[in-house]
Structure formats: C-alpha cells, structure tokens
Amino acid sequence: MPATDTVHIHLSDDRNYEIRIGSGLLNEPASWQGLPKAAAAVIVSNETVAPLYAERLRERLLAVYKRVDLVVLPDGEQHKGWESLNRICDHLLGEALDRKTVLFALGGGVIGDMTGFAAAIYMRGVPFVQVPTTLLAQVDSSVGGKTAINHPLGKNMLGAFYQPERVIADLDTLDTLPDRELRAGLAEVIKYGPIADAAFLCWIEDNLDALLSRDKAVLGYAVRRSCEIKADVVGQDEKEQGLRAILNFGHTIGHAIESGLGYGEWLHGEAVACGMVLAADLSQRMGLMPADFVERLQTLIERAGLPVKPPRLGADRYLQLMRVDKKAEAGAIRFVLIEALGQAGLHSVPDALIVETLAAHGAA
Amino acid sequence: MPATDTVHIHLSDDRNYEIRIGSGLLNEPASWQGLPKAAAAVIVSNETVAPLYAERLRERLLAVYKRVDLVVLPDGEQHKGWESLNRICDHLLGEALDRKTVLFALGGGVIGDMTGFAAAIYMRGVPFVQVPTTLLAQVDSSVGGKTAINHPLGKNMLGAFYQPERVIADLDTLDTLPDRELRAGLAEVIKYGPIADAAFLCWIEDNLDALLSRDKAVLGYAVRRSCEIKADVVGQDEKEQGLRAILNFGHTIGHAIESGLGYGEWLHGEAVACGMVLAADLSQRMGLMPADFVERLQTLIERAGLPVKPPRLGADRYLQLMRVDKKAEAGAIRFVLIEALGQAGLHSVPDALIVETLAAHGAA
C-alpha cells in the first residue's frame, strides 16, 4: 500500500486546501477530521457509486457529525442539469439544514461538479468536500474549484468558481471503476504532458500498460503528478483570466462532441481524447508543432483505448457548437494549442482551418 | 436638481465599486463609460419597468456596446425563481453571448437579485451593473452583492455573493414608482436608524413627510446615507461571517410572512416593516431595549403607511418557516435585535419568547 501523498492548492488571499491521495483513505478517520464544524453533513452520490461506498463513508462521518444524510442522484452526464441540482437543494431545504452543513461529493466528475455548484449557491455558500471515485475526477475535475451544470445548448455553461475544503482521493475506489471509465480518466492524465510537462508525457508512454492494469503505485503517481500540475496552474489563475485555460486542451472539440451527440453518449474523457487529437492537428496546421508530435499523441491515445475519430456531425454543426464555448470571444472560436512540448496557449483559429481539420478526420 | 453623489464600496483584495446617486443619471453618458469592454450588453428588466426606461437605457448603451439585447421578465416576487433565472440564461446561450457580455439589471430588487445571480453563474461569472429603479433597490438590494432566487420553502435560499461593477441610482426613476412601493422602500431606510445610526433615525422622523411627498433632495439624502451605512457594513463583512447580519433586522419574521402568505402577497418592504416591529418587541422582551423604543419605531412605521400587524399564520407555522432562515443554526432561530439605539447584534431567542411576541401581535 503506497503512503498518503498530499498536494497543496494555494490560492490568493490565503485560501488553501489539501488534496490527499492514497489507498484506504475512505476508512481513515484522519481523512474526515479538522473539517468545518457542523450539526449535519450530506453525502451526494449516484445510483452506481452509492451502493459501493456511501454506507462506509456515512459511518466514518457519523464519528464527526451528529447527522449524516444521503442524496442519491441518477448516474450519467445527461443528468448533470437543473433537475438534479434541484434535487440536492430540495433535500437541503426540505430538511431545513443550516448554512454550516457540509456537503460531501462522492462519485465522479458529474457528482463533484453538481455538488460543488449546489454548495456554492445553497444559502449563498456552504462548505463541501470532494471524494472523487473515478480516475477522471481524481486527476482533474475534483481539483481546482470549477463547478457547473450543463445546459441543453452547451456543456458546463452555468456554474461557479467555488473551492472545496479538502479533496480525498482514495485510490482503492478505482478498483470498482469500469474499464471504459478508467480509460476515459487516462485522457485527462495524458493531457497534462503536452500542456505542461514533456517528461510526464514520456513517463505515461512508458507506464501506460501498468496504468491500464491498475498498478496501484503507478496510478498513485499519475494522480499525484496530475494534481501537482493542476494545483500549480490553478494557484496562478484561479478564475481563468488567462493561464488556466490551458487545462482545456482538447475540450473545445470535446465539448462540441458531447453536446452534439447528446450528453452521455461519449464519456467526457473520450470526447477530450478525440478533441486532443484534433487540437494537436490544428497546432500543426497553425505551424506551431511538427507532424511527428501529432502522430505521437494520437498513438498514445489509441494505445489507451480511446477514440481518435470524431463523430460525423458536419462542419457547420461543429462550428455552431463551438461558438458557444466559454473561451469564444466576439464570435471567434479559440483553441488551446500546443506551442512546444510542455507548453500551451490560447489561439484564435480561422474557421477555414477548423473545417480543414474536421474534414481531414472525417467529421465534416 | 441635486448633484451626483458617489458612495464607494471597498471590499477585501482591492475590489471596489461606485454607487452613483442623482437625478438624470440614466441619460448621463458618463454613467455608462469606463465599464468592462464587451461586444454585447444585455438589459434585464420586467414588464412594468421596461416600457418606461429600457429604450432610453438601450440608446445610451449603444454608444458603448455594438449590440444591446433586452430580456423582459414578468413582474413580482412570485416570479423570482428558477423559471425566470432560466429565461435569462436561455437568452444568453441561445444568442451565444460570450463571457465578456455585461448584464444590466434595470428594475427593483427582484430584477437586481435575479440578474446578479444569472451574472454570477453564466459561464461561471460575467460582469453586471445595477440600475435600481425602486427606492428599496436603491437603498438596499442593489448594493452589496447579495444575489438570489426564492425557493418554495424559503426566501433567497439559492444565490451567490457577487458584486456589481457599478450601481447607477437615478432618483428620477422614483417619479414613476407607485406609492405602495415607495412606502415599502422606506421600510429599509428606516431600518438603518436603529441598527447603525440614531441620528439618522431622528432625521427620518423629521423628514418623513418630505420623503412621502417625494422631495428629490430629501430622497437623495436618504438614499445616500442608507448606501453609506450599507457600504460601511459590507466593506467590513462582505460574506456575512458576522456583522453583516445586522442588515437583516426585521427580516427573520419578514421572510416568514412573505413565504408563508405566498410570495408577492405582501411587498418585501411591508413584511420587513412588520418584522421590525416584532423584532423590536423581542429586543424589549430580551431586556435589551425599553418599551418606549418599541413604541417609537412602531409609530414611525405606521406614519410611513406600513403594516405593523402580522398575518395570523399561527405560531407553529411561523416557527417552521423561521427554522429554515439562513441565520438559523442547528435548529435555533436567531434574530437581529437592537441592543442600543444605533447598535444591533445577532441573538438566539427561545421559542417560547417568540411565541409570546407572535401572540401579543395577534399572529399566533
């Protein structure tokens, strides 16, 4: 069993919190000590994860809180909307829970984003803790304070920057993760290489088989290094005034795929994987990167069992979907492009070039 | 015509903004200069206010923004919920407006609270400007960054602390305010006396007739002094960790009246007026204030044409409604009580004493 790793997130005005990474953390009493005092805690989870871990977490939390409620939402990206958000708020108000109540997000990215958003708006803000149980949530979505729900017209369009009190990433919860979701999580791990750390990209290439066979020590390192990179970026730019946008490499086309096919058809990580292939291609077309980088990234993504061929939605539909992207400005679509291995930046890309890339990948 | 007064709000981490108060500000080009640059602005207003002022504001804004949209919502507290909030978000997304878009809240407290909340969550935050057209919004709700919507189980239960870029309080817009709404606004003006400024309470007593007859210079002073007091309190405690709660004098019972009768039955200011009478009575029962203070406040509120007798909802229903109040903690109802003229604090009050007060006022 690997020891517990702790990554610190330091934000402006002295706010900071810990991401704890390790095996057995769910059962570890220390994981749940030193959080804000409250009369009640509420675990928010989904129909898949709750039966596996909710009772165990509830028992641990009852050592700290007099009352621990459980709200179980339907599973899947297609349920990340107003209706599920309302179910959390309705429970909190129906039980007259006060504004010290601590919410615990037990699940993947969807649960984390929705619980965080509910915590941000309930009585204008209650504390919350992220307990990510998927690789994707452990390496990306549970860290950094982006919370949101989807809108039929665009992904993550309504939300808030709202930081958790703590992130508890128990590597043992990955044991129950379906293979498809493990691979989807690897997409976000791979992402950190090209945008921030060329050496980490090499490490992933060398350790991909161990990651896929769920070697706990190797997974632990992947989670820690991913969180370190994210903590560094978020610490410099919490509210995405600039730098933070690089974490969205692959997400412009990725979000278009998710919302164009209907949420839940492709997993978020699958859409991002495919989006990275096309964004790498755009980086080449913009003269920023050589062709061998595009091939190298595509090879790694294929080895991880992730899709590299986008769905054929048609160029017009892709452009329409991408124009509502949060990074778009005054109608111009902007992409995170790779400028050198380990370095990325935000670039306006002419529509014609985007159409070329889409056509070259059979999407137009 | 009185000159423009400017009150500054200074928040932590160097954020600050101006409240400009005066006649003719809507038509004044300077009111709309120096705001964040954007390709588009969106005016959010309601069916009552939009026909009066939206076109004029739109013309002024077109000197600054290429595109100025208008979203018109139904009028009234009963429409301050998910549905109206969604209509704002649907418009923004339907028109693919980007995250630099500036929202302008043109109307009373309901429009200001909802527009501010939409600005807080659209793409995790876009800039917004408050253009309050009611006395209540000019002296209270447009200032200080509390945004929210109502929930069937409680008033302002979902929201965010999110500050505007600027507040433009044009006193001329009060000319079209119905008499009932003017009086409701005076409730929040009166509030500032007992909680923060005994001299201001005397001034209101001396100038009430001029306020009711809409003397512009006297109204201007009332708005300015109210904003100064609020700016001072909010500057010390933006997110209501403590002090800021005093601004909620009269609101615990007030919110219960509003949600107990159904939103829109009583105006917010009317409910707060009546709530102040009962909270003054509680201050006496708790041994904090003498009986003549209760009489003095009740006399002033009656002179302003505001209700002093709460609806007979029954003690149990009142207690149930107040237990979901945001100030409640671990089931204990907490009231802002007056401790001395010009000084208030948050106090837990035993249920039995609350029931006594309700019974004494025919509400139980």
Side-chain angles (χ1 to χ4, degrees):
Chain A
M1 189 169 91
T4 302
D5 277 320
T6 302
V7 176
H8 295 266
I9 298 228
H10 297 282
L11 302 160
S12 61
D13 58 62
D14 294 330
R15 286 172 301 139
N16 59 76
Y17 62 93
E18 289 181 2
I19 307 159
R20 299 191 195 168
I21 302 156
S23 285
L25 291 185
L26 213 57
N27 293 319
E28 182 60 59
S31 298
W32 319 112
Q33 285 159 1
L35 292 167
K37 290 196 193 318
V42 176
I43 301 168
V44 180
S45 191
N46 68 34
E47 288 161 351
T48 309
V49 175
L52 297 168
Y53 303 111
E55 201 39 55
R56 207 185 311 170
L57 176 57
R58 191 163 177 275
E59 268 170 38
R60 290 300 167 193
L61 293 181
L62 278 170
V64 182
Y65 304 97
K66 251 201 262 183
R67 169 181 178 170
V68 180
D69 292 11
L70 175 63
V71 175
V72 179
L73 301 174
D75 189 10
E77 187 78 37
Q78 65 274 31
H79 298 291
K80 187 179 168 184
W82 287 118
E83 204 181 323
S84 297
L85 184 71
N86 259 322
R87 282 178 56 176
I88 305 173
C89 297
D90 287 352
H91 179 88
L92 296 170
L93 276 162
E95 299 294 321
L97 295 173
D98 67 31
R99 68 176 160 189
K100 304 231 154 171
T101 307
V102 185
L103 307 192
F104 290 80
L106 176 69
V110 171
I111 286 294
D113 280 11
M114 280 200 299
T115 307
F117 191 31
I121 68 172
Y122 183 62
M123 295 195 175
R124 299 197 185 92
V126 295
F128 85 113
V129 176
Q130 290 276 17
V131 191
T133 63
T134 67
L135 183 59
L136 188 131
Q138 292 187 355
V139 301
D140 184 35
S141 61
S142 73
V143 174
K146 275 195 181 179
T147 75
I149 57 172
N150 298 330
H151 184 280
L153 293 175
K155 171 138 171 127
N156 291 341
M157 281 297 163
L158 305 171
F161 291 100
Y162 195 71
Q163 302 292 341
E165 299 292 323
R166 188 181 290 169
V167 181
I168 298 293
D170 186 339
L171 298 171
D172 291 348
T173 61
L174 302 182
D175 292 342
T176 50
L177 195 65
D179 210 54
R180 185 180 168 195
E181 295 215 34
L182 183 82
R183 291 170 192 272
L186 286 175
E188 298 277 11
V189 176
I190 292 169
K191 173 186 82 177
Y192 291 110
I195 63 165
D197 186 347
F200 187 46
L201 182 61
C202 297
W203 181 89
I204 299 167
E205 288 171 326
D206 291 347
N207 289 277
L208 186 66
D209 296 335
L211 287 165
L212 287 168
S213 64
R214 303 179 191 229
D215 178 307
K216 208 58 70 70
V218 175
L219 274 175
Y221 178 76
V223 174
R224 175 159 70 86
R225 185 70 197 120
S226 297
C227 287
E228 281 170 355
I229 294 171
K230 183 147 187 184
D232 183 45
V233 170
V234 171
Q236 290 178 63
D237 177 23
E238 181 186 1
K239 296 194 173 169
E240 199 163 319
Q241 307 295 306
L243 176 69
R244 184 171 180 159
I246 68 168
L247 297 171
N248 263 338
F249 177 52
H251 284 60
T252 305
I253 288 170
H255 285 170
I257 292 172
E258 287 185 83
S259 113
L261 287 179
Y263 297 117
E265 193 63 35
W266 282 31
L267 294 177
H268 174 65
E270 293 169 342
V272 167
C274 185
M276 288 194 289
V277 172
L278 271 72
D281 180 281
L282 275 174
S283 307
Q284 188 201 344
R285 281 175 208 271
M286 292 281 283
L288 297 165
M289 293 295 286
D292 60 357
F293 162 69
V294 186
E295 280 160 42
R296 181 180 171 187
L297 187 65
Q298 174 156 347
T299 302
L300 178 60
I301 287 171
E302 282 183 303
R303 275 182 64 206
L306 287 162
V308 296
K309 198 174 146 41
R312 188 189 289 274
L313 301 175
D316 287 349
R317 180 80 176 120
Y318 270 106
L319 290 175
Q320 181 195 23
L321 287 163
M322 291 190 290
R323 249 184 267 285
V324 296
D325 185 78
K326 287 191 286 299
K327 293 181 292 303
E329 213 176 285
I333 301 169
R334 299 198 298 171
F335 283 84
V336 178
L337 299 182
I338 305 305
E339 299 166 345
L341 257 195
Q343 189 192 309
L346 203 52
H347 296 259
S348 292
V349 177
D351 284 5
L353 219 57
I354 303 172
V355 174
E356 261 183 40
T357 288
L358 290 167
H361 289 79
Chain B
M1 188 169 90
T4 303
D5 277 321
T6 302
V7 177
H8 295 266
I9 299 229
H10 296 282
L11 302 160
S12 61
D13 58 62
D14 294 331
R15 285 171 301 139
N16 59 76
Y17 61 92
E18 289 181 0
I19 308 160
R20 298 191 195 168
I21 302 157
S23 284
L25 291 185
L26 213 58
N27 292 319
E28 181 60 61
S31 298
W32 319 110
Q33 284 159 3
L35 292 166
K37 291 197 193 319
V42 177
I43 300 167
V44 180
S45 191
N46 68 35
E47 288 161 352
T48 308
V49 175
L52 297 168
Y53 302 111
E55 199 41 52
R56 208 187 308 172
L57 176 57
R58 192 164 175 274
E59 267 170 39
R60 291 299 167 195
L61 293 180
L62 277 170
V64 182
Y65 304 96
K66 251 200 263 182
R67 170 180 176 171
V68 180
D69 292 12
L70 174 63
V71 175
V72 178
L73 301 174
D75 189 9
E77 188 77 37
Q78 66 273 32
H79 298 290
K80 188 179 166 183
W82 287 118
E83 204 180 324
S84 297
L85 184 71
N86 260 322
R87 280 177 59 176
I88 306 173
C89 297
D90 287 351
H91 178 89
L92 296 169
L93 276 162
E95 299 294 320
L97 295 174
D98 66 33
R99 68 176 159 190
K100 305 230 155 173
T101 306
V102 184
L103 307 192
F104 289 80
L106 176 69
V110 172
I111 286 294
D113 280 12
M114 281 201 298
T115 306
F117 191 30
I121 68 172
Y122 183 61
M123 294 194 175
R124 299 196 187 92
V126 297
F128 86 113
V129 175
Q130 291 275 18
V131 190
T133 62
T134 67
L135 183 59
L136 188 131
Q138 292 188 355
V139 301
D140 184 34
S141 61
S142 73
V143 174
K146 274 195 181 178
T147 74
I149 58 173
N150 297 330
H151 184 281
L153 294 175
K155 171 135 171 130
N156 291 341
M157 281 296 164
L158 305 171
F161 291 100
Y162 194 72
Q163 302 291 341
E165 299 292 324
R166 186 181 290 169
V167 182
I168 298 293
D170 185 339
L171 298 171
D172 291 348
T173 60
L174 302 182
D175 292 341
T176 51
L177 195 65
D179 209 55
R180 185 178 169 196
E181 295 216 32
L182 184 81
R183 291 169 192 272
L186 286 176
E188 298 276 11
V189 176
I190 292 169
K191 174 187 79 177
Y192 291 109
I195 63 166
D197 185 348
F200 188 46
L201 182 61
C202 297
W203 182 89
I204 299 167
E205 289 171 326
D206 291 346
N207 289 278
L208 186 65
D209 296 334
L211 288 166
L212 287 169
S213 64
R214 303 180 192 228
D215 178 308
K216 207 59 70 71
V218 175
L219 274 175
Y221 178 76
V223 174
R224 174 159 71 85
R225 185 69 197 120
S226 298
C227 287
E228 281 171 354
I229 295 171
K230 183 146 187 185
D232 183 45
V233 171
V234 170
Q236 290 178 63
D237 177 23
E238 181 186 1
K239 296 194 175 169
E240 198 163 317
Q241 307 294 307
L243 177 68
R244 184 171 180 158
I246 66 167
L247 298 172
N248 263 338
F249 176 53
H251 284 59
T252 305
I253 288 171
H255 286 169
I257 292 172
E258 285 185 85
S259 112
L261 286 179
Y263 297 117
E265 193 62 35
W266 283 30
L267 294 177
H268 175 65
E270 293 169 342
V272 167
C274 185
M276 287 194 290
V277 172
L278 272 72
D281 180 280
L282 276 174
S283 306
Q284 188 202 342
R285 280 175 209 272
M286 293 280 283
L288 298 165
M289 293 296 285
D292 60 358
F293 161 69
V294 187
E295 279 159 43
R296 181 180 172 188
L297 187 65
Q298 176 157 346
T299 302
L300 179 59
I301 287 171
E302 282 183 302
R303 275 181 64 206
L306 288 162
V308 296
K309 197 173 147 44
R312 189 188 287 275
L313 301 175
D316 287 348
R317 180 79 176 118
Y318 270 106
L319 291 174
Q320 180 196 21
L321 286 162
M322 291 190 291
R323 249 183 266 285
V324 296
D325 184 78
K326 288 191 285 299
K327 294 181 292 301
E329 214 176 285
I333 301 168
R334 298 197 298 170
F335 283 84
V336 178
L337 298 182
I338 306 303
E339 298 166 345
L341 257 195
Q343 189 191 311
L346 204 51
H347 295 260
S348 293
V349 177
D351 284 4
L353 219 56
I354 304 172
V355 173
E356 261 183 41
T357 289
L358 290 167
H361 289 79

